[in-house]
Amino acid sequence: RFRSAAEETGREIGRRGWTLVYGGAHVGLMGVVADAALRAGGRVTGVIPRFLYDREVGHDGITSLEIVGSLTERKSRMGELSDAFLSLPGGIGTLDELFEAWSWSQVGLQHKPSGLLNVAGYYDGLLAFVDRALASGFMKPQHRDMLAVSADVRELLDRFEASVRARPAAE
């Protein structure tokens, strides 16, 4: 079901004629999303640190691939290139990228939408923790509201599109 959701995400990005900006690997769900976006006619830009590329996980079949020096540079560059941030089910790296992008919005460094594709309740535990942080006073309601959550990728992408259209052109 996670792979299927990744394929649907890539197809939908490609169908909309958007460019997918992602971590640049051909493995895992990110590789599935990239391949599906390409098959659907989308453009795909990958950003990968040299040490991961050298481990033969870089995706050389995408529209463009940028090789950077570190994971920190990767996140920064993906943030520069992206209009929105969507996290599919994943592990530590996914969570790191999710929280970094979300915190950029919280502190006003950017005003791009962030979302979780909550496939089969994958993020339910994380969302319960976030809601506990909110209830305990460690998070403001407006910051919680900066994270869109849905099990429907089309719904999330529609929300992203509306948010990007409403954002001032200077960003």
Side-chain angles (χ1 to χ4, degrees), residues 50 154 157 160 171:
R50 167 64 63 191
R154 287 182 187 94
L157 297 182
F160 285 1
E171 199 171 328

Side-chain angles (χ1 to χ4, degrees), residues 5-99:
E7 288 172 348
E8 181 182 5
T9 300
R11 276 194 309 271
E12 189 62 22
I13 289 169
R15 184 190 71 75
R16 292 170 187 243
W18 294 359
T19 298
L20 170 69
V21 177
Y22 84 115
H26 68 83
V27 298
L29 292 185
M30 73 170 111
V32 173
V33 173
D35 289 339
L38 288 168
R39 283 192 304 275
R43 294 179 41 84
V44 176
T45 297
V47 182
I48 191 166
R50 167 64 63 191
F51 77 92
L52 288 178
Y53 184 83
D54 290 344
R55 289 184 188 169
E56 300 178 4
V57 299
H59 196 321
D60 290 318
I62 58 178
T63 310
S64 66
L65 182 64
E66 294 186 26
I67 300 173
V68 296
S70 69
L71 289 169
T72 301
E73 287 177 69
R74 173 202 234 175
K75 288 185 292 186
S76 178
R77 184 63 178 141
M78 288 192 309
E80 291 169 7
L81 295 170
S82 299
D83 290 321
F85 305 95
L86 177 62
S87 297
L88 278 68
I92 294 169
T94 299
L95 293 173
D96 175 49
E97 291 170 359
L98 162 70
F99 283 108

Side-chain angles (χ1 to χ4, degrees), residues 112-127:
K112 300 174 184 181
S114 291
L116 283 178
L117 185 59
N118 193 19
V119 179
Y122 182 81
Y123 283 115
D124 287 353
L126 177 65
L127 293 167

